[in-house]
Amino acid sequence: LASMIWKDPQKSFSDPVLADKYLTAAKQIYDFGKKHQATQPGNPFYNETSWRDDMALAAIELYRATHTAAYLNDARSFGKSAQNGWTMDWSEMHSLAHYEIGRTDPSYRSTAIQFLKRDIDSYQSKAKQNPFRAALESFYWGSAAVMVGQALEMLWYEDLSGDHSYHNLAQQQRDYVLGG
């Protein structure tokens, strides 16, 4: 992402040399991830359930930066193998990866829509059981961030599919977090 920002000749701060350094670093980190799959720092408090979502997101951004088909193929493959995160937060980037791949690759769009809809249907089920329409089983530390992530996921689904049937649920998550 930094490479694309610094490479933009329309920006007064454009610096193609710095952009190339960022892109080289991104490729090196990605290559490390491919060679050492499933390597993530272990932390019992903040524990991720998947590394594939991270690789899918990295691959689609590298595809955008380089237009190298191998990155797009990797993004699709890692995305499909990551499947659903059943939440959207700092560690579970499945839905963002699916959205970005679907937004970039029309052939993946229906796959992305299916993954997003699975998550959203589970959110809707939880919201129906919650007196505040919160799409959570229970409130906990970090609930607000998860609810905002869920709302974003619903809006990404709407963007890809054109289906607005979850828009009110997305707004309800936002409104709860903001006290509306």
Side-chain angles (χ1 to χ4, degrees):
L1 293 173
S3 171
M4 290 186 284
I5 291 168
W6 287 96
K7 195 169 191 166
D8 185 350
Q10 302 297 317
K11 304 292 183 193
S12 62
F13 54 80
S14 179
D15 185 338
V17 173
L18 183 59
D20 287 343
K21 286 181 185 180
Y22 286 138
L23 183 57
T24 297
K27 289 177 182 178
Q28 290 171 343
I29 293 167
Y30 181 79
D31 289 342
F32 178 87
K34 280 191 76 170
K35 290 176 187 162
H36 301 91
Q37 294 183 3
T39 301
Q40 290 184 322
N43 182 325
F45 189 71
Y46 292 117
N47 197 15
E48 288 194 59
T49 61
S50 173
W51 51 272
R52 289 175 178 90
D53 57 326
D54 302 324
M55 293 298 291
L57 193 53
I60 197 61
E61 293 304 337
L62 281 166
Y63 171 72
R64 284 190 185 135
T66 67
H67 303 288
T68 301
Y71 289 125
L72 180 58
N73 292 334
D74 283 356
R76 290 182 196 127
S77 178
F78 281 121
K80 288 177 183 175
S81 66
Q83 297 190 14
N84 290 76
W86 305 110
T87 189
M88 170 57 195
D89 62 20
W90 68 272
S91 68
E92 306 303 338
M93 302 303 289
H94 301 70
S95 57
L96 179 58
H98 292 305
Y99 173 68
E100 293 296 342
I101 300 167
R103 198 167 69 99
T104 304
D105 177 14
S107 74
Y108 190 85
R109 186 164 292 140
S110 64
T111 300
I113 289 167
Q114 289 172 353
F115 282 124
L116 294 171
K117 187 165 182 355
R118 280 186 213 152
D119 281 356
I120 295 166
D121 285 343
S122 75
Y123 305 156
Q124 186 174 47
S125 176
K126 291 172 188 170
K128 285 179 181 177
Q129 298 172 16
N130 186 293
F132 303 107
R133 297 282 296 151
L136 304 167
E137 289 178 8
S138 63
F139 292 99
Y140 50 88
W141 177 257
S143 292
V146 171
M147 291 173 73
V148 170
Q150 292 169 335
L152 281 171
E153 191 171 348
M154 293 173 212
L155 297 175
W156 295 333
Y157 169 82
E158 185 177 302
D159 183 47
L160 289 180
S161 71
D163 177 359
H164 301 276
S165 60
Y166 299 102
H167 195 84
N168 286 340
L169 184 59
Q171 287 179 322
Q172 289 166 345
Q173 305 316 294
R174 178 206 61 198
D175 291 350
Y176 181 85
V177 169
L178 297 176

